[in-house]
């Protein structure tokens, strides 16, 4: 799903790119090229096509041309095009990568003032900023949540938590103990540990943050040592590993964790809003949509999804910004949410999407995105951090010493920061 794209942009962190150098590109006169990662996602791609068609038909000066890539190839295609000074004028970018692509010279700040939907109306996580400038915006976000059956929780005398009163760590641990003792489930908890790439920091670093740790010291983004391998982070890692040793989760989940949950193999699933409608269709009113656990420093979930941006090398920035401004209409925020099963990026759009309107059965997910979302570290180093965290977390689940695994990750991240002069410039 949107926020868990492959972190293929790690190629960028080897050194500052030169996407803004050389000849301008991405347009032939007033015909502008647009790239998207949605070649394999026809529902979302249809919305992009609709916006392009209606923009092209709304005026006679500019024409936007679409080129769609499979998501698995997209980031590498952007990196290669930037190196060759052949980026399109318009492109989408996974939210956590915005700082890296801006630092690398791939993106230009955008000005969408005067568009129908002000940036201030959006979920904060759907606006991509770097060094106090706006480089991208998205139409939607997703939210992590726990899914369970109310009947199962009631049967084992487990409180159904609310947004105002989520589970504490003690309550969560108690619930898992009861469910394991019942012998009714292959694993009481499904955490999606068979996933890969960006799923790992997206899914598990919010839990680390709720313990009081973080991926990097966000005060200046100059070191991970003392934070990623600090006491609170080590407590998270020990707990994370204990889920395997106590038999609460599989060291590596099956290929379709949500299918396993719906089949009753697990009692509680840590998953995303993208499966909310499917689960509700299957379980009806028995479905419990549960907030993240408060492990001591408040409930947390990841924030930021795919966003639209303008390349620094675009030779027709006026045309690119005209398209960006045109796209910022409430009806398109609605179209994206309906097509993709994602959270509408504005309250006005949410009111028009069945289930997400105030009082709707999925509106709680919008509340999670507003109350609990933490964007991944806003630093060009993020793709590297993402890869190092994934490796450390996987090693910890496999039995590595938490202090050593996190310490090595922090050391490697600090070396990367030093090599790149803390991504100054």
């Amino acid at each position: 799903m949107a926020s868990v794209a492959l972190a293929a942009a790690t190629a960028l962190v080897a050194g500052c790119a030169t996407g803004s150098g050389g000849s301008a590109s991405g347009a032939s006169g007033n015909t502008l090229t647009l790239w998207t990662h949605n070649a394999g996602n026809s529902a979302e791609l249809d919305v992009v096509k609709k916006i392009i068609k209606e923009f092209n038909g709304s005026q006679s000066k500019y024409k936007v041309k679409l080129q769609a890539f499979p998501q698995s190839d997209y980031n590498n295609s952007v990196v290669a095009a930037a190196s060759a000074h052949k980026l399109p004028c318009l492109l989408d970018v996974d939210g956590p990568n915005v700082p890296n692509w801006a630092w690398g010279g791939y993106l230009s700040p955008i000005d969408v003032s005067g568009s129908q939907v002000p940036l201030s109306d959006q979920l904060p996580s759907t606006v991509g900023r770097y060094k106090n400038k706006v480089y991208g915006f998205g139409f939607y976000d997703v939210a992590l949540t726990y899914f369970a059956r109310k009947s199962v929780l009631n049967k084992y005398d487990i409180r159904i938590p609310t947004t105002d009163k989520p589970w504490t760590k003690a309550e969560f641990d108690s619930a898992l103990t009861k469910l394991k003792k019942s012998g009714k489930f292959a694993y009481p908890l499904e955490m999606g540990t068979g996933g890969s790439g960006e799923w790992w920091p997206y899914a598990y670093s919010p839990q680390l943050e709720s313990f009081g740790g973080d991926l990097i010291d966000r005060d200046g983004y100059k070191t991970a040592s003392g934070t990623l391998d600090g006491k609170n982070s080590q407590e998270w890692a020990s707990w994370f590993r204990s889920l395997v040793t106590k038999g609460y989760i599989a060291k590596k989940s099956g290929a379709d964790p949500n299918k396993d949950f719906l089949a009753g193999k697990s009692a509680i699933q840590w998953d995303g809003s993208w499966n909310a409608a499917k689960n509700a269709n299957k379980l009806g009113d028995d479905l419990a949509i549960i907030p993240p656990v408060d492990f001591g420093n408040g409930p947390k979930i990841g924030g930021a999804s795919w966003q639209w941006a303008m390349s620094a090398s675009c030779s027709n920035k006026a045309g690119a910004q005209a398209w960006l401004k045109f796209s910022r209409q409430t009806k398109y925020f609605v179209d994206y949410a309906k097509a993709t099963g994602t959270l509408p990026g504005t309250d006005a759009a949410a009111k028009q999407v069945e289930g997400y309107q105030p009082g709707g059965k999925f509106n709680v997910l919008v509340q999670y995105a507003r109350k609990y979302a933490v964007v991944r570290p806003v630093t060009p180093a993020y793709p590297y951090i993402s890869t190092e965290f994934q490796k450390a977390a996987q090693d910890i689940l496999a039995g590595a010493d938490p202090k050593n695994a996190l310490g090595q990750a922090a050391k490697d991240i600090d070396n990367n920061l030093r090599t790149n002069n803390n991504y100054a410039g």
Side-chain angles (χ1 to χ4, degrees):
M1 193 4 103
S3 267
V4 292
L6 298 173
T10 47
L12 282 125
V13 301
C16 190
T18 54
S20 57
S23 58
S25 62
S28 175
N30 285 326
T31 299
L32 293 79
T33 303
L34 175 149
W35 283 10
T36 179
H37 72 286
N38 281 313
N41 183 349
S42 59
E44 188 166 351
L45 186 60
D46 284 347
V47 180
V48 179
K49 288 178 178 176
K50 177 183 177 182
I51 297 173
I52 291 173
K53 182 180 178 182
E54 294 185 357
F55 172 74
N56 289 345
S58 71
Q59 42 74 51
S60 56
K61 185 172 183 180
Y62 304 114
K63 183 181 179 184
V64 171
K65 265 193 333 185
L66 171 71
Q67 186 172 355
F69 295 78
Q71 182 171 321
S72 58
D73 299 335
Y74 182 72
N75 285 345
N76 287 333
S77 298
V78 171
V79 171
S83 299
H85 308 299
K86 291 184 179 178
L87 281 173
C89 268
L90 294 158
L91 66 165
D92 54 8
V93 50
D94 200 8
N97 289 337
V98 167
N100 187 292
W101 290 15
W103 164 82
Y106 293 18
L107 306 180
S108 184
I110 58 174
D111 176 10
V112 291
S113 57
S115 51
Q116 186 190 98
V117 177
L119 287 171
S120 58
D121 283 4
Q122 291 195 218
L123 288 171
S125 58
T126 63
V127 180
R129 291 183 168 90
Y130 178 59
K131 291 193 171 180
N132 298 316
K133 293 180 180 177
V134 174
Y135 283 89
F137 66 84
F139 290 87
Y140 56 77
D141 206 348
V142 287
L144 286 163
T145 185
Y146 289 103
F147 294 118
R149 289 168 172 82
K150 295 175 184 175
S151 56
V152 168
L153 299 181
N154 289 332
K155 181 177 180 179
Y156 296 103
D157 194 28
I158 297 167
R159 180 179 70 85
I160 299 174
T162 63
T163 308
D164 292 331
K165 195 177 179 186
W167 278 327
T168 63
K169 179 182 181 296
E171 281 185 293
F172 191 44
D173 290 345
S174 172
L176 295 177
T177 301
K178 289 178 181 178
L179 293 166
K180 175 69 178 175
K181 191 176 178 182
S182 75
K184 298 292 186 182
F185 307 97
Y187 294 97
L189 178 62
E190 172 57 72
M191 287 269 278
T193 50
S196 61
E198 187 58 20
W199 168 251
W200 281 74
Y202 178 69
Y204 311 128
S205 68
Q207 297 172 338
L208 165 81
E209 290 156 2
S210 185
F211 268 84
D214 208 338
L215 296 170
I216 189 172
D217 182 349
R218 298 196 188 216
D219 183 10
Y221 296 103
K222 292 180 178 177
T223 182
S225 294
T227 300
L228 179 56
D229 58 351
K231 178 175 174 286
N232 293 334
S233 297
Q234 289 180 43
E235 285 180 6
W236 162 79
S238 297
W239 170 82
F240 193 50
R241 170 62 183 162
S242 78
L243 296 176
V244 172
T245 57
K246 292 178 179 178
Y248 293 163
I249 67 169
K251 188 163 68 176
K252 185 175 181 180
S253 304
D256 191 339
N258 188 242
K259 185 177 179 182
D260 290 343
F261 165 70
L262 290 175
K265 292 182 181 179
S266 53
I268 302 169
Q269 186 194 8
W270 182 232
D271 196 20
S273 52
W274 52 88
N275 277 323
K278 182 170 79 171
N279 291 350
N281 288 339
K282 177 78 182 285
L283 302 179
D285 289 340
D286 196 29
L287 176 67
I289 300 176
I290 294 172
V293 175
D294 182 353
F295 290 104
N297 284 267
K300 313 284 184 188
I301 62 172
S305 194
W306 286 88
Q307 300 174 1
W308 287 101
M310 174 176 69
S311 71
S313 57
C314 176
S315 59
N316 195 331
K317 288 186 169 64
Q321 294 196 135
W323 185 83
L324 291 168
K325 286 184 182 182
F326 178 87
S327 73
R328 296 182 54 73
Q329 299 181 50
T330 296
K331 65 180 181 179
Y332 297 136
F333 282 81
V334 172
D335 288 342
Y336 270 109
K338 286 182 175 179
T340 59
T342 49
L343 307 182
T346 68
D347 287 342
K351 290 175 183 175
Q352 298 181 42
V353 181
E354 182 60 35
Y356 291 91
Q357 73 276 29
K361 57 188 171 184
F362 305 130
N363 184 259
V364 66
L365 294 163
V366 180
Q367 294 176 40
Y368 296 172
R370 284 212 178 271
K371 293 183 69 168
Y372 304 145
V374 179
V375 296
R376 278 148 283 181
V378 186
T379 167
Y382 179 73
Y384 189 85
I385 293 170
S386 169
T387 302
E388 288 301 307
F389 177 76
Q390 178 187 346
K391 181 179 182 300
Q394 287 175 328
D395 287 348
I396 288 163
L397 279 193
D401 177 73
K403 184 177 180 180
N404 291 343
L406 292 176
Q408 187 61 54
K411 190 181 298 182
D412 290 344
I413 291 166
D414 284 0
N415 285 338
N416 178 270
L417 291 165
R418 278 193 294 272
T419 300
N420 288 285
N421 192 29
N422 290 322
Y423 294 86

